[in-house]
Amino acid sequence: MGISSENGEVLVARNYIGGAFRDAQSTFEKHSPVDGRVVALVHEADAADVNDAVLAARAACDGDWGSMSQRERTALLGKVAGLIEARFDDFVEAELADTGRPRAAAREFDVPRTADTFRLFAGLAGSYPGQTWQTEAPGISAVNYQLRRPAGVVAAIAPWNMPMVLLAFKIAPALAVGNGVVAKPSEEAPSTASIMAEVFDEAGLPAGAFNLVNGFGIDSAGAFLTAHPGVNRISFTGETRTGAHVMRSASERVRPVSLELGGKNPAIVFEDADLAAAIAGTARSAFYNCGQVCLCTERVYVHRSRYEEFVTGLKAAAENLVIGAPDDPGVQMGPLISRKHRERVLSYLEIARQDGNIVTGGGVPQFADARDNGAFVQPTIVTDIPESSRFVTEEVFGPVCHVAPFDTEEEAVALATASEYGLVSVVWSGNTSRALRVAGRMRSGVVWVNGWLIRDLRTPFGGVGLSGIGKEGGYASLDFYTDQTNVCVKL
Ligand code: NAD
């Protein structure tokens, strides 16, 4: 799997095309966000590699894989889930090397969730309901039924923030209904996808059913893949600007896209909320994974009567967070993904400093050891900042939020829905009628009431506005990855 270096294991991430691992002429290094050491050597796929991967996926979809009985395909994906569990430690180490998140997060969430995702979609594909309609009109009697077949070649392009689970969320349903898949993980988090290719190889999927191409976006594997005329569906998760680029590329041949993009997610805390729960929940929703989850809360609106109490409580929660490397004692928050991303987050903290008041955080923690070569940043809370500030209107994607008071329910709804993004919202209230009334007025794909990050993979997920197009999750994923035909039989 890897090569050893003076500073530990370096994973070699090769491309996997048509059932074989393939070296590339060009390679690049992936650096640890914890201490800057090299953790992976990545083989960058060129246009010819991407072309071969698309053709291999097409052949698998038209051949053994697409025509395999659902029962067999479901069984093979169940085997994949078992092999992911069998290589649990390899996946954990690779995820920690790429992202630097606390070990417990990878052990308790990322790896088990990935295995579950394969089992879930393998099962759903086996029970994917079809529809029939009976048509009766004077002189006409007919029966209609719905046929579904694999869409063909699916391009699955993932970001770096939750590399394993987000890639699995695309490839598991796409494979489960018989598509050939070409996966392109983020250049910032290539390692788990590489082990995933080994798992597919070991599970014995027909050659070409799963292909992996590594690289960047523009002038690299990402853009080569989305521009390839042989791709029939593009499922993309990443930044809104990149999503717009992908959509332009897809429009050339009128290909359906599913775009899971950025967010600037609000939380509303009403005066009747359980404040301790709202503070603990908001600390989690703002700082979990160092704020690098598209579902993280970056805007918090609190009823004026509880505002001071809330800010004091959230400040204490932020200052009590243990920041550090994956195995540091009691660690709760790791680094940002890279120094480059930290520069971006720090530039937003500078805007916050100029436009508002930094209650806590605002800088880089000092460790006086190798972690100072990493990409750590302090959890940051901002108040007294105009809603027009770029810190409030743009996605920062770090452990940050601003908190502002409101006086009426109407005002809270107006503030929360003022963003052009619309991914998720959180409503904290002890009054069920109010919570549900306000939930119905949020302009987002998901609304959580008195909680956060409860994601049932069977539910349709996807944002509105700048947060994306399309729904994935449960049968919505299977709908996206299939073509549907209405067969009408005149009786
Ligand atoms: P990104 O847009 O920079 O990159 C995402 C992926 O697209 C990477 O694999 C990258 O190599 C590739 N890519 C870049 N340019 C491309 C191009 N022109 N053509 C094809 N592929 C290209 O995003 P990121 O920085 O990796 O991830 C962070 C972003 O993802 C944040 O905005 C976050 O909100 C968003 N995100 C959204 C969701 C969601 O479900 N809505 C989930 C996670 C992350």
Side-chain angles (χ1 to χ4, degrees), residues 157-162 166 184-187 215-218 221-223 226 236-240 242-243 245-246 259-263 293-295 395 397 423 461 463 467:
I157 301 181
W160 45 257
N161 62 314
M162 290 194 153
L166 292 176
K184 212 296 279 169
S186 167
E187 59 274 29
F216 302 86
I218 292 174
T226 56
F236 169 84
T237 301
E239 277 191 29
T240 297
T242 322
H245 193 279
V246 167
L259 302 177
E260 304 287 0
L261 309 177
V293 186
C294 55
L295 314 171
E395 180 186 48
F397 220 53
L423 198 54
F461 172 82
S467 292

Side-chain angles (χ1 to χ4, degrees), residues 133-321:
W133 301 267
Q134 193 170 325
T135 307
E136 297 296 347
I140 297 178
S141 182
V143 167
N144 291 273
Y145 65 92
Q146 184 186 31
L147 273 185
R148 290 198 181 92
R149 59 176 69 81
V153 177
V154 170
I157 301 181
W160 45 257
N161 62 314
M162 290 194 153
M164 254 192 113
V165 292
L166 292 176
L167 193 62
F169 190 51
K170 300 177 186 310
I171 62 184
L175 286 170
V177 289
N179 293 288
V181 169
V182 183
K184 212 296 279 169
S186 167
E187 59 274 29
E188 292 287 1
S191 300
T192 48
S194 206
I195 305 177
M196 202 97 89
E198 294 176 3
V199 161
F200 284 120
D201 201 66
E202 196 183 338
L205 263 71
F210 175 80
N211 304 272
L212 172 67
V213 291
N214 286 298
F216 302 86
I218 292 174
D219 293 330
S220 186
F224 298 152
L225 185 55
T226 56
H228 197 293
V231 168
N232 304 100
R233 291 285 189 282
I234 302 173
S235 174
F236 169 84
T237 301
E239 277 191 29
T240 297
R241 252 175 319 178
T242 322
H245 193 279
V246 167
M247 199 170 170
R248 272 195 293 279
S249 198
S251 73
E252 282 294 320
R253 296 181 66 82
V254 204
R255 279 140 340 145
V257 288
S258 172
L259 302 177
E260 304 287 0
L261 309 177
K264 188 71 191 178
N265 307 310
I268 302 177
V269 182
F270 284 104
E271 64 276 25
D272 51 28
D274 172 343
L275 212 69
I279 290 168
T282 306
R284 194 165 157 262
S285 73
F287 307 136
Y288 179 75
N289 206 36
C290 205
Q292 304 168 114
V293 186
C294 55
L295 314 171
C296 275
T297 302
E298 290 195 6
R299 303 183 291 134
V300 189
Y301 303 105
V302 185
H303 191 266
R304 196 176 299 278
S305 65
R306 314 293 300 271
Y307 177 72
E308 294 299 336
E309 194 185 343
F310 183 90
V311 172
T312 305
L314 192 64
K315 176 174 186 283
E319 289 172 356
N320 283 334
L321 272 180

Side-chain angles (χ1 to χ4, degrees), residues 408-419:
T408 64
E409 183 178 309
E410 206 54 35
E411 187 191 357
V413 170
L415 285 165
T417 56
S419 173

